[in-house]
Amino acid sequence: MISIFDLFKIGIGPSSSHTVGPMKAAEAFVTALDESQRSRLKRLQVTLLGSLAWTGRGHGTDKAVMLGLSGFSPESVVPDDADRHVGVIAATSKLILKDGTTVHFDPVQDIVFKFDGPTPVHPNTIRFAAFDQDSHELKAETWYSLGGGFVQREGEVSSAEFSSEVPFDYRSAAELIEMCDRSGLSIAQAVLANEAVFADEALVHDRLDRLVAVMFDCIDRGMRTDGELPGGLKVKRRAPSLHARLLMSETRNVRHSIAAMDYASLYAIAVNEENAAGGRVVTAPTNGAAGVIPAVLRYYTDHCEGTSKDGVRIFLLTSAAVGALCKMNASISGAEVGCQGEVGVACSMAAAGLAAALGGSCRQIENAAEIGMEHHLGMTCDPIGGLVQIPCIERNAFGAIKAINAASLALSGDGSHHVTLDQVIRTMRDTGADMQTKYKETSRGGLAVSVPDC
């Protein structure tokens, strides 16, 4: 099983697979060097392959690697200090490890973007090598960034898998619903029971509340921060002006659309503009799709009647069950299955969470998740310039609106429907397998080549 706190992780933008994952892998590599290797260490080299090579520069993978090698983690690094630290490394060609060890590191020479290297295991592959003063290799490892900040060292199982038995060991939505029927528990209660194997409920609730605080702070920060996003596309932040326009419309009592839905779009855009700028976000379940769940959750708290803190927790616990199913049985990596595995999964998770928070039954919740995922099938991942900006920012807004609509449709019925969540997750996996590589986070197809000078 997969923990909710592996699906929802506090980190920095712009990408969970290209920023968060490589930073975690780099930190783990240098941490694992033994005393003898550290005493002889003189140089480090990193090789990026597959999607990490093709869109690594736009996604800040080189920056993430340098931070990770320096001992920073995605949750602990201060976004405002990250660029300064990377600048010092580039200017001095020296990298200081967490224990104070100084090694030579020239980012131009020691971070290799290998575009033609094979990636038979996963399209997000990264290799690390440590050398002594005679260029003899002291240690080498290959890591895979699996999407959503999940990483795996070659030859090991994913770090997100539980090592202990849990009371609800479901592997499909059908199994989960059957377990809930038999136990009399809701989906959120079943997920909480699993988490309680590793931490008491009070701690789980505290960690959930912390995630919500970071999500909502990201929304608020995005709504008040103006300017141009980095990367060269000259994309201007829109969230502050959108927010001002909504406030003005309310003051004048002039409406051309539904205010709550406009706000949901605003919230998603605010988060993803922050993500594109390398700000603090919650991976939910990826950075590229980080705006959907916070936007729908804020829609719930600010625009729905009868909301509560318990409802917020139910939202996150339920959405995590859907995210875990998608990760176990398909993928949440844009480089593996396209954006259907990122914004599509986030939409499915958000739809389930909202339906649960609004009192939906297990079958209505499963129906909401299925609707959200079904209507993202086939969505490609084709970011212009390798940047998580176009079409990613607006795509999150549409994902949030679809999630709200999916929950509404599901709650209007009795939970019965023709297509199951398990079927649509399998379809997403198979569609991703059939999708051409150029449409899966390589920036070699779709909008990335149709609008090259945007």
Side-chain angles (χ1 to χ4, degrees):
M1 298 302 298
I2 296 170
S3 170
I4 184 173
F5 301 111
D6 283 311
L7 285 166
F8 296 113
K9 295 182 286 291
I10 298 172
I12 63 170
S15 172
S16 50
S17 60
H18 289 57
T19 308
V20 176
M23 192 186 304
K24 290 172 64 176
E27 182 192 16
F29 175 74
V30 294
T31 300
L33 293 171
D34 61 33
E35 187 174 339
S36 173
Q37 291 165 338
R38 286 177 181 275
S39 66
R40 293 180 288 156
L41 179 64
K42 294 299 179 184
R43 185 169 66 88
L44 292 163
Q45 186 176 68
V46 181
T47 303
L48 306 174
L49 299 98
S51 179
L52 293 183
W54 285 105
T55 61
R57 287 190 174 89
H59 285 69
T61 306
D62 46 355
K63 168 182 168 181
V65 165
M66 286 185 273
L67 292 170
L69 292 175
S70 301
F72 292 101
S73 68
E75 186 167 350
S76 66
V77 66
V78 177
D80 291 342
D81 292 341
D83 287 334
R84 178 190 59 78
H85 187 83
V86 169
V88 170
I89 296 173
T92 63
S93 294
K94 293 184 184 300
L95 193 150
I96 302 174
L97 307 188
K98 194 172 185 178
D99 65 355
T101 302
T102 300
V103 298
H104 175 80
F105 193 84
D106 179 359
V108 176
Q109 299 293 326
D110 295 322
I111 299 180
V112 179
F113 292 80
K114 192 171 178 60
F115 301 102
D116 57 350
T119 56
V121 176
H122 196 278
N124 292 330
T125 299
I126 183 168
R127 293 175 183 156
F128 300 97
F131 301 92
D132 64 14
Q133 63 181 2
D134 297 319
S135 295
H136 294 145
E137 189 174 87
L138 300 171
K139 185 183 181 69
E141 288 180 348
T142 297
W143 285 73
Y144 310 112
S145 184
L146 307 178
F150 291 92
V151 294
Q152 182 177 331
R153 184 190 282 110
E154 186 178 45
E156 294 185 355
V157 298
S158 173
S159 61
E161 294 183 7
F162 281 143
S163 58
S164 302
E165 289 190 12
V166 291
F168 298 96
D169 187 10
Y170 58 90
R171 300 289 162 159
S172 68
E175 288 181 357
L176 176 57
I177 291 173
E178 191 276 329
M179 290 176 182
C180 289
D181 286 344
R182 190 171 63 246
S183 66
L185 299 179
S186 67
I187 292 174
Q189 289 170 328
V191 174
L192 181 59
N194 284 349
E195 295 293 338
V197 172
F198 306 94
D200 62 62
E201 289 190 12
L203 179 58
V204 174
H205 286 156
D206 286 345
R207 293 185 69 184
L208 290 175
D209 295 345
R210 166 66 174 152
L211 289 172
V212 176
V214 175
M215 287 180 179
F216 285 8
D217 179 65
C218 184
I219 291 173
D220 293 337
R221 200 168 58 246
M223 289 194 298
R224 66 173 180 264
T225 305
D226 217 329
E228 190 175 281
L229 295 174
L233 292 183
K234 300 187 182 302
V235 174
K236 293 183 179 179
R237 288 179 180 249
R238 289 183 292 170
S241 62
L242 289 173
H243 190 207
R245 183 173 298 178
L246 279 172
L247 293 175
M248 185 179 297
S249 297
E250 290 174 354
T251 301
R252 296 178 178 179
N253 198 27
V254 177
R255 298 267 7 124
H256 299 291
S257 56
I258 301 172
M261 301 299 261
D262 286 344
Y263 271 104
S265 294
L266 165 65
Y267 301 149
I269 288 172
V271 170
N272 284 87
E273 287 180 347
E274 278 295 296
N275 177 64
R280 174 78 66 214
V281 299
V282 174
T283 300
T286 69
N287 281 34
V292 177
I293 288 172
V296 179
L297 190 56
R298 187 70 166 257
Y299 165 86
Y300 166 74
T301 61
D302 290 12
H303 303 280
C304 294
E305 294 182 358
T307 61
S308 66
K309 180 174 283 190
D310 283 342
V312 170
R313 293 166 178 167
I314 288 168
F315 184 114
L316 289 178
L317 289 164
T318 305
S319 65
V322 174
L325 288 171
C326 291
K327 173 149 180 58
M328 284 190 290
N329 299 313
S331 175
I332 58 172
S333 169
E336 199 167 23
V337 294
C339 198
Q340 58 174 353
E342 297 203 31
V343 170
V345 171
C347 175
S348 183
M349 293 170 66
L354 181 59
L358 294 176
S361 68
C362 288
R363 284 166 177 77
Q364 287 174 316
I365 292 166
E366 188 257 357
N367 188 18
E370 181 276 322
I371 294 171
M373 185 70 253
E374 180 181 349
H375 296 290
H376 282 87
L377 290 175
M379 181 173 282
T380 59
C381 182
D382 50 355
I384 295 175
L387 299 166
V388 191
Q389 297 179 18
I390 304 172
C392 317
I393 295 172
E394 287 182 351
R395 186 167 286 177
N396 274 257
F398 277 82
I401 298 303
K402 284 185 179 182
I404 295 168
N405 196 26
S408 178
L409 287 171
L411 291 173
S412 68
D414 61 5
S416 60
H417 50 288
H418 289 286
V419 181
T420 69
L421 178 58
D422 292 325
Q423 289 170 332
V424 82
I425 290 175
R426 286 196 299 271
T427 303
M428 186 263 281
R429 178 198 64 198
D430 295 342
T431 302
D434 291 338
M435 191 180 292
Q436 292 185 44
T437 301
K438 68 181 182 178
Y439 297 117
K440 294 190 285 189
E441 209 167 1
T442 60
S443 288
R444 291 186 289 165
L447 284 176
V449 297
S450 297
V451 196
D453 297 318
C454 182

